[in-house]
Every structure is written in C-alpha cells, then in structure tokens.
Amino acid sequence: MITRKLQKLQSAMAEHEGWTRSGAGALDFSSPTMAYRNHNPGNLRSSPFMLGQSNGFAVFIDDQIGTFAHLFDLWSKCTGKTTTGLGPKSTLADLIHVYAPTSENNTGAYILAVEKYTGIPRATPLSYFLQP
C-alpha cells in the first residue's frame, strides 16, 4: 500500500534528485534536468515500467508513470521485496546508502536533505513508511 509517509519520502528524494524543470529554478525552462527530461523523479536506473534508458537512467512515458515507478521501487525496498538486502527493519539511512551509494553521490548530504525535508530521523526503520 502506498502511504502518505512513503509519498513524503518519495517527494523528498525526488527533490534531491533534481526533479525540477531546471537546476537554476522552476521558472527557467532553458535546460531541464535529466530527471525531468526522462520523467524519472527518482533517477532510477531500471524499472519494470520504463520505456528504455538514456545515459544509463530509466525513461518513462510520463511524469505519472515515473512517479509511480519511484514509489514502487521505494515500497519494494521498504518491504524487503528486492535483492538489495533492505527490509522493514532497515533504516532510512540504510535505504539512502543503497539508493545513492557514496561511490556516485554525497550520501551524507542526501541523508541530511531527506531528514530536513521530511522531519524524519535517519535511524527510522523503513517499516514506518508502510504505516498509514
């Protein structure tokens, strides 16, 4: 079940991933971000719902499908239905370490951004996001 808590997490991660028309600001339409161009708010690399890939990232038919795919990916990780080793007892910090590894991201900054956006501490178990 997609809960409001999971939607809030998805929104926080999408914002950090550049889910905006432009890195310069929402009203600057000159250079949309890759997440925006690909209808991929989570910058997912793969999804059962994608049309294909561009520069190693999934491309979705529209924003609604891309958002659903991101929510589905997060729900799958929170419930332990992936090969990532994450599950309901994993923490928000564990999720972000898997989702945005330090080899490709500033994971510490990512965790701080999500904590700030959601008000949810990094030690919160993923089962929290499954509760209504």
Side-chain angles (χ1 to χ4, degrees):
M1 175 166 91
I2 303 299
T3 65
R4 288 191 185 272
K5 293 172 184 173
L6 192 62
Q7 288 174 321
K8 189 173 188 177
L9 173 62
Q10 185 273 329
S11 292
M13 292 176 76
E15 182 174 293
H16 191 77
E17 290 289 339
W19 183 239
T20 179
R21 206 167 214 325
S22 169
L27 297 177
D28 177 1
F29 301 114
S30 61
S31 60
T33 63
M34 181 174 51
Y36 192 85
R37 285 191 314 270
N38 292 347
H39 305 289
N40 185 353
N43 276 331
L44 299 174
R45 294 197 179 269
S46 182
S47 168
F49 310 105
M50 69 185 193
L51 291 174
Q53 288 184 318
S54 175
N55 296 319
F57 291 91
V59 176
F60 298 97
I61 195 165
D62 59 27
D63 295 348
Q64 185 176 6
I65 299 299
T67 298
F68 173 79
H70 191 201
L71 282 164
F72 179 78
D73 182 73
L74 293 173
W75 176 85
S76 297
K77 286 175 170 66
C78 289
T79 58
K81 297 185 187 313
T82 68
T83 60
T84 61
L86 295 171
K89 292 181 180 178
S90 302
T91 66
L92 176 59
D94 295 335
L95 169 72
I96 295 172
H97 275 284
V98 167
Y99 193 90
T102 54
S103 59
E104 300 174 11
N105 299 273
N106 182 340
T107 306
Y110 202 134
I111 293 168
L112 284 172
V114 171
E115 279 183 315
K116 182 179 177 182
Y117 185 100
T118 63
I120 299 167
R122 66 185 66 208
T124 301
L126 296 182
S127 60
Y128 169 83
F129 298 99
L130 304 173
Q131 301 168 6

